[in-house]
Amino acid sequence: MGVVISLDDGKHKDASVKPLVENTKADMERVNQLILSKAGSDVAMIPEVANHLISSGGKRLRPMLTLASATMFGYAGESHIRLATAVEFMHTATLLHDDVVDESDLRRGRSTARMIWGNQASVLVGDFLLGQAFKMMVEVGSLDALDVLSTAASVIAEGEVLQLSVAKNMETTEDDYLSVIRAKTAALFSAACEVGPIVAGVSKAERNALRSYGMNLGLAFQLIDDVLDYGGSARDLGKNVGDDFREGKITLPVVLAYRRGSESERAFWREAIEGGKSDDQALEKAMGLITKYGSLKDTTARAEHYASIARDALAPLPDSPEKAALLEVIAFCVNRAS
């Protein structure tokens, strides 16, 4: 079942990640070579599982952010290549782990690794990739970069546990939910952007600017993902529309619809999310309630708020092709819901 809700308010801009892709193209070729090299192992299943996800068509946005945030300050060394690869490995590991925790069947339009090789292999290969990521961080030799990325790894794990603690709990507040996505999603965006200026050796203010940019971009990115789960298409999502609902996930559109609804409507949400009665008929009703209470529009408005903070974070920095590309990424992330 797929229900597409139009969110176009006439403000759609033709933003894309193309400027970022073009700006980082040469360095990303080196990152991709390093990814293939570091995903290798004498244990045959490791590269099979890793490459299944690595080659599945993701935009590799996070490592591109690392590259651009280093080169925008004139960095011309090698460390940003290893750090960008480490960031991508951290992201891939979290996806492998997430799919096991969420019991997901589809990722980027393909069967998840756990559906092909099983849960144990997915978890263990994720652990292998995290180990390789930390080896590359050590090879870079920057304690500050190691501190930022290792802290992010810890925060992401805390976010996973926090999400478990609020899972299928309709009393979850908006603040609770924002804490989850700040840890699970935004922390890695933030770290990916901060390690670039660290290796470029720039000022604390410039480093803080990129950290803030990444954190708020990550929040906006995840909130738009939440919108797309109820108002997008399987092609855009790389998974089935309504998967969050079927898995009993608490996302901001659900939080808003639940809190704004009548007692009978809240009873429906408790039965669907907490009670697991989330079939296609229930999904259709859920999407009706989300529309009734403007949950998608307001979630998009929240995303636009964080997008504005991300833009302001970059404002004091000198103009450059990299800065322009990073600004366009913000518009791209938000406009996915248009």
Side-chain angles (χ1 to χ4, degrees):
M1 174 182 173
V3 179
V4 178
I5 299 171
S6 175
L7 298 170
D8 193 352
D9 58 2
K11 298 179 183 176
H12 179 69
K13 296 177 184 176
D14 231 359
S16 78
V17 294
K18 287 181 182 177
L20 183 65
V21 171
E22 288 301 315
N23 189 276
T24 59
K25 187 175 181 179
D27 282 343
M28 274 305 298
E29 288 178 4
R30 297 164 66 197
V31 168
N32 289 330
Q33 290 170 1
L34 192 56
I35 285 171
L36 293 174
S37 170
K38 295 295 184 178
S41 169
D42 292 335
V43 180
M45 187 181 286
I46 289 176
E48 285 177 10
V49 176
N51 289 330
H52 174 77
L53 189 51
I54 288 168
S55 65
S56 65
K59 291 184 179 66
R60 302 217 168 132
L61 177 57
R62 293 157 188 82
M64 287 193 289
L65 293 173
T66 298
L67 297 174
S69 67
T71 57
M72 72 185 295
F73 296 109
Y75 181 72
E78 300 287 324
S79 295
H80 65 321
I81 303 296
R82 291 189 182 278
L83 290 174
T85 306
V87 164
E88 182 64 9
F89 273 19
M90 288 174 67
H91 176 54
T92 304
T94 61
L95 297 184
L96 287 166
H97 291 164
D98 276 355
D99 287 340
V100 172
V101 173
D102 298 338
E103 300 181 342
S104 298
D105 298 338
L106 198 66
R107 167 74 67 181
R108 294 172 183 162
R110 301 169 67 186
S111 294
T112 53
R114 78 175 197 92
M115 294 298 293
I116 301 172
W117 290 278
N119 287 338
Q120 297 94 330
S122 290
V123 170
L124 294 173
V125 172
D127 291 346
F128 169 82
L129 293 178
L130 282 175
Q132 291 291 76
F134 278 95
K135 282 178 66 177
M136 285 183 280
M137 294 175 215
V138 171
E139 287 165 2
V140 166
S142 166
L143 279 178
D144 279 352
L146 178 61
D147 178 50
V148 166
L149 287 171
S150 60
T151 298
S154 177
V155 169
I156 292 165
E158 286 179 331
E160 294 282 3
V161 177
L162 179 59
Q163 185 177 49
L164 279 179
S165 71
V166 301
K168 301 186 178 182
N169 177 6
M170 288 309 307
E171 297 309 314
T172 299
T173 66
E174 182 170 344
D175 283 342
D176 293 334
Y177 180 65
L178 289 173
S179 294
V180 170
I181 66 171
R182 188 172 280 109
K184 273 198 63 181
T185 302
L188 186 55
F189 272 87
S190 180
C193 293
E194 187 177 0
V195 292
I198 286 175
V199 294
V202 297
S203 71
K204 184 75 171 177
E206 290 166 318
R207 173 177 163 179
N208 289 346
L210 268 296
R211 181 176 67 232
S212 176
Y213 164 83
M215 176 62 70
N216 289 286
L217 176 68
L219 289 168
F221 183 91
Q222 184 58 57
L223 288 170
I224 295 300
D225 263 9
D226 296 346
V227 168
L228 291 173
D229 193 71
Y230 289 95
S233 68
R235 184 194 64 193
D236 296 332
L237 285 166
K239 61 179 183 177
N240 296 316
V241 174
D243 270 358
D244 286 351
F245 178 77
R246 294 185 189 93
E247 293 167 7
K249 282 187 179 179
I250 307 290
T251 61
L252 189 55
V254 172
V255 171
L256 296 178
Y258 175 77
R259 293 189 169 270
R260 294 170 179 177
S262 66
E263 183 47 48
S264 64
E265 289 165 345
R266 287 195 290 273
F268 159 77
W269 284 112
R270 288 192 292 269
E271 185 177 39
I273 300 293
E274 297 177 354
K277 296 184 179 179
S278 52
D279 57 17
D280 284 352
Q281 186 177 355
L283 174 60
E284 193 168 354
K285 181 172 182 179
M287 294 176 87
L289 291 174
I290 282 171
T291 302
K292 176 181 178 181
Y293 290 106
S295 297
L296 298 186
K297 180 181 177 183
D298 287 349
T299 300
T300 302
R302 264 58 160 195
E304 289 170 344
H305 166 71
Y306 291 112
S308 294
I309 300 174
R311 277 190 289 271
D312 288 341
L314 294 184
L317 301 179
D319 289 339
S320 66
E322 292 88 354
K323 177 181 174 180
L326 293 177
L327 288 170
E328 186 151 349
V329 167
I330 302 171
F332 165 78
C333 286
V334 174
N335 289 344
R336 291 179 302 148
S338 297

